[in-house]
Amino acid sequence: PDFDFKSVLSDVMQKSSVGHWKGATRKLKKLTKNYSTADRPVPREAYVAVLEACAANRLNGARASEPARRILEDMSTFGYEIPADLANVCVSSSLGDGPGGTHDSCGGIDTALAMVAAVESSPGGSSMLTDASYGRLVSALAKDGAVEEAVLISRSMVVEKSFTPPLSTFADVAKGAAKSDDHTEDVLEVLALAKASGYELDNIAAVEAGREVLASGVIAAEKMDNLALGLRLLTAAAKAEGCAPDSGDDLVATSSSFAQRACTLIHRRAIFKACNDDNWKLAVKLLELMPKRGLTPATSVWRNVLSTCCKN
């Protein structure tokens, strides 16, 4: 009575052993649909063997993403433990740089999210995925414009799982949030999460990813008209060591046209506010900082500072 089951199972294992992932997945589907019963389930070893064949060569260029997702979901449904290394390879390799996180129109964010859900619901799955796998998913979400979801997963990484994501992950989320007028305040949460992870704002300008985080913070501060925050972030950048021969605030202010525009507007508004308050010392100090940060004061800025000094 078990002849057909064992015969197809043998085909599954044989095709998996030589890396024929398409044939192996077809045979596994046939085995599950036609010959598997509650008393005679597909063994865990068969799922693992086919999953290994699918996961080879970065999910075979992401073409095996969907079969791998189905296998992970089936293993989770039947209560089979999923190998941690295979789970992380599947999630990471299903994400690319194309639209929706796809790679050559294969895989993508939706597939990766389904894999994560399957892995986390499997036995021991809550601690199986690494910070690199979650970080790759967060970056893909942020680049695709799904800022809210990216922030939620980032918070889960830091608060619930006690991970320390790389600065590049925070930079991707911060850039995605800074681009959108609807998620400007999310940049502040990203800065808070970075601090909670152990990064110091006074030091992160020494690396490119840290400067991107600070630049996004300055852009968000300008959009919210929070002059104190924008100036505080630039002051923190200036304190970073290892930026010689330039200074950190100069590198942050000139990191992109958007950052340069935001920095210029923040200094301009702060100078005008100081002039209105007859605080000539602050106005002069801010004006002196602008050329040091690669910013060009407008004629009106010079004129306002000069008038304030003359009046005082």
Side-chain angles (χ1 to χ4, degrees):
D2 294 337
F3 177 81
D4 290 332
F5 179 85
K6 291 180 178 179
S7 175
V8 178
L9 177 60
S10 177
D11 290 341
V12 169
M13 301 303 287
Q14 191 273 330
K15 290 186 179 298
S16 298
S17 65
V18 295
H20 292 174
W21 65 272
K22 287 185 178 180
T25 51
R26 282 195 292 266
K27 290 292 183 181
L28 180 63
K29 183 178 179 181
K30 179 180 179 182
L31 179 68
T32 305
K33 187 176 181 180
N34 297 340
Y35 303 108
S36 175
T37 62
D39 298 328
R40 190 175 55 199
V42 177
R44 174 179 178 272
E45 292 73 19
Y47 284 112
V48 173
V50 180
L51 192 61
E52 286 178 342
C54 289
N57 301 315
R58 295 183 60 82
L59 283 177
N60 294 278
R63 290 176 296 136
S65 297
E66 284 301 316
R69 175 191 61 78
R70 286 193 292 269
I71 292 171
L72 291 173
E73 290 175 343
D74 287 348
M75 292 184 74
S76 176
T77 300
F78 294 125
Y80 290 145
E81 184 178 345
I82 300 171
D85 55 340
L86 286 177
N88 284 286
V89 166
C90 289
V91 172
S92 299
S93 300
S94 63
L95 295 166
D97 298 324
T102 57
H103 176 76
D104 289 340
S105 301
C106 300
I109 292 172
D110 291 340
T111 301
L113 286 172
M115 289 180 175
V116 169
V119 171
E120 288 182 340
S121 62
S122 67
S126 58
S127 59
M128 193 176 296
L129 294 175
T130 63
D131 56 342
S133 297
Y134 282 113
R136 190 165 172 79
L137 177 58
V138 166
S139 295
L141 283 166
K143 291 175 182 176
D144 196 51
V147 176
E148 191 172 343
E149 291 79 0
V151 172
L152 284 173
I153 297 177
S154 299
R155 188 190 304 127
S156 173
M157 291 173 68
V158 175
V159 178
E160 298 174 13
K161 303 181 184 300
S162 299
F163 285 146
T164 302
L167 273 173
S168 57
T169 301
F170 289 121
D172 288 337
V173 181
K175 281 194 291 185
K179 287 179 182 177
S180 172
D181 293 334
D182 298 330
H183 297 285
T184 304
E185 293 187 359
D186 287 330
V187 178
L188 306 186
E189 183 165 358
V190 175
L191 291 170
L193 289 173
K195 288 185 68 175
S197 299
Y199 294 108
E200 295 183 12
L201 297 183
D202 293 349
N203 296 329
I204 61 175
V207 295
E208 184 178 357
R211 293 193 290 272
E212 290 177 348
V213 171
L214 293 175
S216 297
V218 173
I219 293 170
E222 185 276 320
K223 287 184 177 181
M224 295 185 294
D225 201 26
N226 191 335
L227 305 181
L229 174 62
L231 295 172
R232 164 70 183 91
L233 293 174
L234 288 171
T235 302
K239 295 178 181 178
E241 299 178 356
C243 299
D246 299 306
S247 61
D249 53 348
D250 181 15
L251 293 173
V252 168
T254 57
S255 60
S256 70
S257 59
F258 298 106
Q260 194 165 29
R261 176 183 177 276
C263 290
T264 302
L265 290 174
I266 285 175
H267 283 79
R268 180 175 177 271
R269 292 172 191 167
I271 289 172
F272 283 177
K273 188 175 185 300
C275 290
N276 289 334
D277 296 338
D278 279 341
N279 190 344
W280 66 270
K281 289 184 178 180
L282 178 58
V284 170
K285 184 179 179 181
L286 290 170
L287 183 62
E288 287 177 340
L289 284 172
M290 290 188 72
K292 294 179 181 178
R293 291 172 172 170
L295 308 173
T296 304
T299 307
S300 58
V301 175
W302 287 103
R303 187 169 58 246
N304 268 270
V305 177
L306 185 59
S307 298
T308 304
C309 289
C310 290
K311 283 192 295 183
N312 289 274

